Amino acid sequence: MKKILENQIINSALWAAYGDALGFITELADAKILKSRTGQQTIESLVDWKRRVGGKFGTTIKLPKGSYSDDTQLRLATSRAIMGNGHFSIHSFSKIELPVWQSYALGAGRGSKLAASSLSKANVAWYSNFYNSDNVSYLQSGGNGAAMRIQPHVWSAVKLDEPELFLPDVIRNSLTTHGHPRAIIGSVFHALSLSYTLFYKKIPSLEYLRTFNQWTNEVPRIIESDINLNTIWASHYENSSQSSLVDDYEEVYKELEALIDKAEEWYKDEEKTYKSLATLLNLFDVETRGSGTLTSLAASVACLLLEETSEIDLIKTISNELLTDTDSIATMAGAIMGAQTDICPDERVQDQDYIIQESKRLHSISNREAANSFKYPEKLEWKSPSSQLDFLGKANDRLVLFPFGEVKSISTEVFISTNKSYCYEWFESKLGQSFLIKRRYNGEFKKVAEEFLEPQVNIHNSKSLIDERALVQQNLELEDNVFATSIDIDKLTTKIIRDQFDPTTIGSSLLEIANSELGVNGVVAFSAIISKAYVARKRK
């Protein structure tokens, strides 16, 4: 098995963050908007700049040099949710990270924000997040909001040349917020392009991009192998879309093949440029701009220009192609190009030390070495606040962004309205990440236990679990999916085992869960837990 160098993962993460920070400045902007944000016509380096936050009726905030968008925010959230033993805690990602992210999200799309809001509800699980609101629905969410965050699954992969081991987590992560095949395939395609580059330390050719697309038709099979997706998600998907998974993914496969045909036509041109690629793929079209498949392909194909240009020049070129989704294309291209170079960006991005720290941790996981885990709240102790304004609380008169520990202000308040009820303020956490938080002004803060002042970690030895990762991953996730509830799941499980799996005890427990806020999703997850325990004891 080939070992991936730590610097490859660090550089991949830093170039991804740098591409995001530079492209964020120009995201969906025309020349006039860029001028108002920066006072410049083009972007050649990271600068302080201004952006309206909070929607059409929001307020203008000054963003410091190197600020990054939701792309890097959610990439760090994904990274934290990967435990030191290699297990992706999808419960922690979907029921804690995403709801909390609402309080500090920057530049996020409507689909991702609606998904996070829906997951804040007690009766919504990662595999049942079929939101439908404000003309945005889960099944029609085919944007790149998932693809731009899945790199940590590749950076922590033990065997990069065996996609079957890391693609299931990529798919689960993506399906948490996006339901359209274009979003899922964008994630899968980008993961394969990145894993190839890390493994071979070179950019994949167009021929290999076609090979990556072959995995599109494998996604329905991978979905069916997950009990939560197969029993709950797939049936809801097919009933709502009135089509089959196989047919829908076959359609996206054909779309992506056609896009690769266009890329091959572009590549044959001796005077090819990124602008000509953007024109050929129509990255400016508001109807398709930001598509998961389109963005992933554009990022991979753009990296072929490294045959005749440098990493920094390519990132700048992508970031200055106005009216395209500059930050997501640049961050995904950055992750790929960073994986094959020994050079890191010559400018620092916000929270760079923390990004490097997480990169090193993921590298340790990929090498089956001891690694830290972020300590999330216990399932029964966590309940998402009903308001985005209440994630910022107080413990002993110190501000806490739950569950990331104490935060300290590093800016003045910027008020949203004349009544000064709410404001935005930059905070820095002991964890190492910065957050622009929308908070109450002179209002009551939610009380937080003193123990949450310090972000906590656990130490794991990853070797024993990762050796059998493909076998145990699904079972571990089942326990994760029984989320916070008034029902004591451990108590019910203990009673069933003590009663030697008495059918009456099992039945009454299932009815109790069905009548709770967990509903049918909880029944399915709990049944799987009990089935696993029953089989394990029969083998003894």
Side-chain angles (χ1 to χ4, degrees):
M1 182 182 67
K2 179 181 177 181
K3 283 193 174 183
I4 305 304
L5 296 177
E6 184 179 75
N7 276 349
Q8 282 182 264
I9 295 176
I10 292 174
N11 283 343
S12 180
L14 289 180
W15 278 104
Y18 183 76
D20 180 21
L22 201 65
F24 188 28
I25 301 172
T26 57
E27 181 192 23
L28 306 181
D30 57 19
K32 183 178 179 180
I33 293 174
L34 179 58
K35 181 74 173 178
S36 69
R37 288 177 177 178
T38 65
Q40 301 176 15
Q41 297 294 335
T42 60
I43 291 298
E44 297 299 325
S45 63
L46 298 175
V47 295
D48 295 336
W49 59 292
K50 296 178 292 184
R51 181 184 176 94
R52 179 173 293 277
V53 297
K56 183 178 179 180
F57 300 104
T59 189
T60 299
I61 296 285
K62 182 180 179 180
L63 300 181
K65 179 180 178 180
S67 301
Y68 50 79
S69 78
D70 60 309
D71 295 25
T72 301
Q73 289 177 336
L74 291 178
R75 190 156 48 241
L76 288 171
T78 292
S79 181
R80 273 190 298 270
I82 298 175
M83 301 291 99
N85 57 18
H87 167 57
F88 175 49
S89 177
I90 196 163
H91 164 83
S92 300
F93 177 72
S94 63
K95 299 299 290 183
I96 299 177
E97 287 283 0
L98 284 173
V100 174
W101 169 71
Q102 297 176 90
S103 67
Y104 66 89
L106 266 178
R110 287 191 300 163
S112 295
K113 289 190 287 189
L114 276 172
S117 176
S118 178
L119 286 163
S120 298
K121 301 172 184 175
N123 63 344
V124 177
W126 69 272
Y127 50 83
S128 63
N129 192 21
F130 287 81
Y131 56 85
N132 191 349
S133 177
D134 299 331
N135 298 319
V136 179
S137 72
Y138 174 79
L139 291 176
Q140 294 304 313
S141 289
N144 56 40
M148 50 70 169
R149 70 180 185 235
I150 55 81
Q151 296 88 352
H153 296 300
V154 180
W155 294 331
S156 63
V158 175
K159 296 181 179 180
L160 289 167
D161 55 341
E162 295 186 26
E164 287 277 3
L165 295 181
F166 60 81
L167 285 184
D169 280 344
V170 169
I171 293 169
R172 293 183 190 105
N173 185 327
S174 303
L175 286 172
T176 300
T177 55
H178 292 68
H180 196 284
R182 289 192 191 95
I184 314 310
I185 297 310
S187 298
V188 168
F189 189 89
H190 179 56
L192 292 168
S193 188
L194 177 58
S195 63
Y196 176 96
T197 308
L198 274 174
F199 191 81
Y200 294 103
K201 210 173 180 182
K202 65 179 182 179
I203 302 299
S205 65
L206 285 165
E207 180 182 355
Y208 275 103
L209 298 189
R210 287 198 187 277
T211 302
F212 301 158
N213 191 27
Q214 296 294 326
W215 281 91
T216 297
N217 290 320
E218 295 297 315
V219 171
R221 175 182 59 79
I222 296 174
I223 288 174
E224 289 171 3
S225 69
D226 183 292
I227 188 171
N228 292 295
L229 295 177
N230 192 26
T231 56
I232 302 295
W233 184 89
S235 59
H236 196 142
Y237 176 91
E238 294 190 349
N239 288 337
S240 300
S241 64
Q242 296 185 340
S243 59
S244 74
L245 276 175
V246 172
D247 290 345
D248 288 350
Y249 278 84
E250 171 67 20
E251 183 178 339
V252 174
Y253 166 80
K254 292 176 180 176
E255 288 179 7
L256 195 46
E257 279 293 292
L259 289 173
I260 297 173
D261 288 341
K262 289 185 176 182
E264 284 192 332
E265 176 187 336
W266 166 84
Y267 189 69
K268 293 174 184 177
D269 188 346
E270 292 184 358
E271 297 183 3
K272 55 185 174 292
T273 63
Y274 180 71
K275 180 176 286 292
S276 64
L277 176 66
T279 301
L280 193 64
L281 295 180
N282 203 9
L283 300 181
F284 310 95
D285 187 347
V286 294
E287 295 296 322
T288 58
R289 184 173 58 192
S291 154
T293 47
L294 194 59
T295 303
S296 297
L297 179 67
S300 292
V301 175
C303 288
L304 293 173
L305 289 169
L306 291 175
E307 296 169 355
E308 50 199 51
T309 191
S310 67
E311 287 82 7
I312 188 63
D313 286 341
L314 180 56
I315 285 288
K316 290 179 181 178
T317 298
I318 294 172
S319 299
N320 280 291
E321 197 59 56
L322 302 183
L323 295 175
T324 66
D325 197 354
T326 48
D327 60 335
S328 292
I329 299 174
T331 201
M332 293 164 74
I336 295 169
M337 67 174 66
Q340 53 83 58
T341 182
D342 296 323
I343 301 170
C344 64
D346 57 5
E347 293 186 281
R348 288 179 62 86
V349 295
Q350 190 178 43
D351 306 331
Q352 179 154 318
D353 291 341
Y354 180 55
I355 292 170
I356 293 174
Q357 174 188 315
E358 275 298 293
S359 302
K360 290 181 176 180
R361 191 181 73 87
L362 294 174
H363 174 258
S364 294
I365 293 171
S366 73
N367 279 336
R368 301 173 174 170
E369 298 168 356
N372 295 337
S373 292
F374 184 78
K375 187 178 180 181
Y376 290 99
E378 295 295 330
K379 299 178 182 69
L380 298 180
E381 294 178 359
W382 168 259
K383 184 178 180 181
S384 183
S386 56
S387 171
Q388 296 178 23
L389 300 168
D390 291 328
F391 285 101
L392 189 68
K394 268 192 174 182
N396 292 345
D397 294 325
R398 288 185 284 175
L399 289 173
V400 176
L401 179 60
F402 196 63
F404 304 137
E406 182 180 1
V407 293
K408 293 184 178 180
S409 175
I410 55 174
S411 75
T412 57
E413 306 98 337
V414 177
F415 295 101
I416 299 173
S417 58
T418 54
N419 64 16
K420 296 189 176 182
S421 298
Y422 311 107
C423 66
Y424 283 95
E425 190 172 357
W426 277 103
F427 290 90
E428 186 175 65
S429 69
K430 289 185 177 181
L431 189 68
Q433 186 171 350
S434 304
F435 307 93
L436 177 63
I437 301 174
K438 180 181 178 181
R439 70 170 184 87
R440 301 183 192 280
Y441 184 72
N442 288 338
E444 291 294 324
F445 287 96
K446 183 179 179 180
K447 290 184 179 180
V448 178
E450 185 177 351
E451 64 184 284
F452 292 111
L453 281 169
E454 297 289 337
Q456 300 177 33
V457 296
N458 292 326
I459 302 293
H460 290 282
N461 187 328
S462 59
K463 184 175 181 179
S464 60
L465 176 59
I466 294 179
D467 282 341
E468 302 177 18
R469 187 174 180 183
L471 298 176
V472 303
Q473 187 82 351
Q474 180 169 295
N475 287 336
L476 284 168
E477 283 156 2
L478 293 172
E479 282 93 334
D480 248 351
N481 292 332
V482 181
F483 42 85
T485 173
S486 57
I487 291 180
D488 190 333
I489 298 298
D490 290 337
K491 185 177 180 180
L492 291 179
T493 304
T494 300
K495 180 174 175 54
I496 288 172
I497 294 173
R498 187 185 63 224
D499 291 351
Q500 298 182 344
F501 298 92
D502 175 66
T504 301
T505 305
I506 295 174
S508 62
S509 298
L510 290 174
L511 287 174
E512 186 175 348
I513 293 172
N515 289 323
S516 75
E517 65 267 35
L518 294 177
V520 66
N521 297 329
V523 169
V524 171
F526 185 69
S527 298
I529 293 170
I530 297 304
S531 297
K532 186 186 71 172
Y534 177 71
V535 171
R537 280 159 180 76
K538 280 191 68 177
R539 289 174 178 169
K540 291 182 178 180

